[in-house]
Amino acid sequence: HALASFVPACVGANRFRVDAWIRLRETPSVVTVTHADRVLAARDPPREFDSRLEERFFIDFLALSSRWSIAREAEMIQLGPTAFFPDFTFLLRSNPQVRVDLEIVGFWTREYLDRKRSLMTQLGGRKLIFCVDERLCCDREWATFPFIPFSRRVPAEKVLEALEEIAKGAGEER
């Protein structure tokens, strides 16, 4: 998913280089693609949001005019052999050291949820808020984890409340 999201972004760059280490018939090779290869056709730039749900949440959150800045997929977090791109990252404007990631969980399987749970333990001290679509919830065991439920629209006000609780815990009173 990360590579599929990244490669189209190269089209919009003046210069880029992508190196891929691959194995064909047990023979390791390196494939390099640069801006000069012209293999990527210029098309519409990548979409800013993966879904209308994410876009509405972003707009709703900005409308709250809070003390938090919001950025979409702002950082890649390396977790062993995998990478995690939180849907949104929030920074407290008065203290950017207070950082909180948000992951929106829409349609999912039990295996997908298990991977997300595993991420929570691997993130160490990072703060992470999960928003879970109740309509697509197939396992009530999830309720043992803290999350913000939603149906059709991620509640920006509840996310802000959770952010403020985290800020309080970090000693950042309003």
Side-chain angles (χ1 to χ4, degrees):
H1 171 72
L3 186 58
S5 297
F6 172 74
V7 171
C10 292
V11 175
N14 290 334
R15 298 173 53 95
F16 68 88
R17 176 186 173 118
V18 176
D19 294 314
W21 288 263
I22 61 172
R23 183 179 301 265
L24 295 173
R25 296 189 182 97
E26 301 304 315
T27 304
S29 301
V30 176
V31 174
T32 300
V33 178
T34 72
H35 60 281
D37 291 317
R38 314 282 300 149
V39 296
L40 298 175
R43 297 188 189 269
D44 294 336
R47 294 184 322 197
E48 191 172 353
F49 298 95
D50 290 338
S51 67
R52 181 79 176 113
L53 178 74
E54 283 186 1
E55 184 176 10
R56 276 195 321 251
F57 169 72
F58 184 82
I59 292 166
D60 291 348
F61 190 83
L62 288 178
L64 296 175
S65 300
S66 74
R67 62 186 185 143
W68 295 84
S69 65
I70 180 175
R72 189 176 118 49
E73 292 186 352
E75 180 181 4
M76 180 188 79
I77 302 168
Q78 192 70 42
L79 297 170
T82 63
F84 172 55
F85 292 85
D87 291 322
F88 294 96
T89 299
F90 302 90
L91 297 177
L92 188 59
R93 286 189 183 98
S94 61
N95 182 358
Q97 299 302 321
V98 180
R99 168 188 220 104
V100 182
D101 297 314
L102 176 102
E103 185 69 8
I104 298 173
V105 180
F107 179 79
W108 49 270
T109 64
R110 179 157 188 140
E111 293 79 24
Y112 180 80
L113 265 192
D114 288 342
R115 283 195 313 272
K116 293 293 182 181
R117 287 179 187 159
S118 175
L119 282 177
M120 288 179 78
T121 60
Q122 293 179 44
L123 289 174
R126 289 185 80 111
K127 302 295 183 202
L128 182 62
I129 297 171
F130 277 92
C131 294
V132 178
D133 189 331
E134 285 185 312
R135 295 173 303 138
L136 305 175
C137 183
C138 62
D139 182 1
R140 289 295 161 196
E141 184 181 323
W142 174 259
T144 62
F145 278 75
F147 70 92
I148 297 172
F150 71 91
S151 178
R152 300 194 195 312
R153 195 174 199 122
V154 177
E157 298 83 7
K158 291 198 182 294
V159 170
L160 181 56
E161 288 172 17
L163 290 169
E164 291 301 335
E165 283 300 312
I166 291 170
K168 260 197 261 185
E172 294 291 328
E173 294 291 329
R174 270 210 110 165

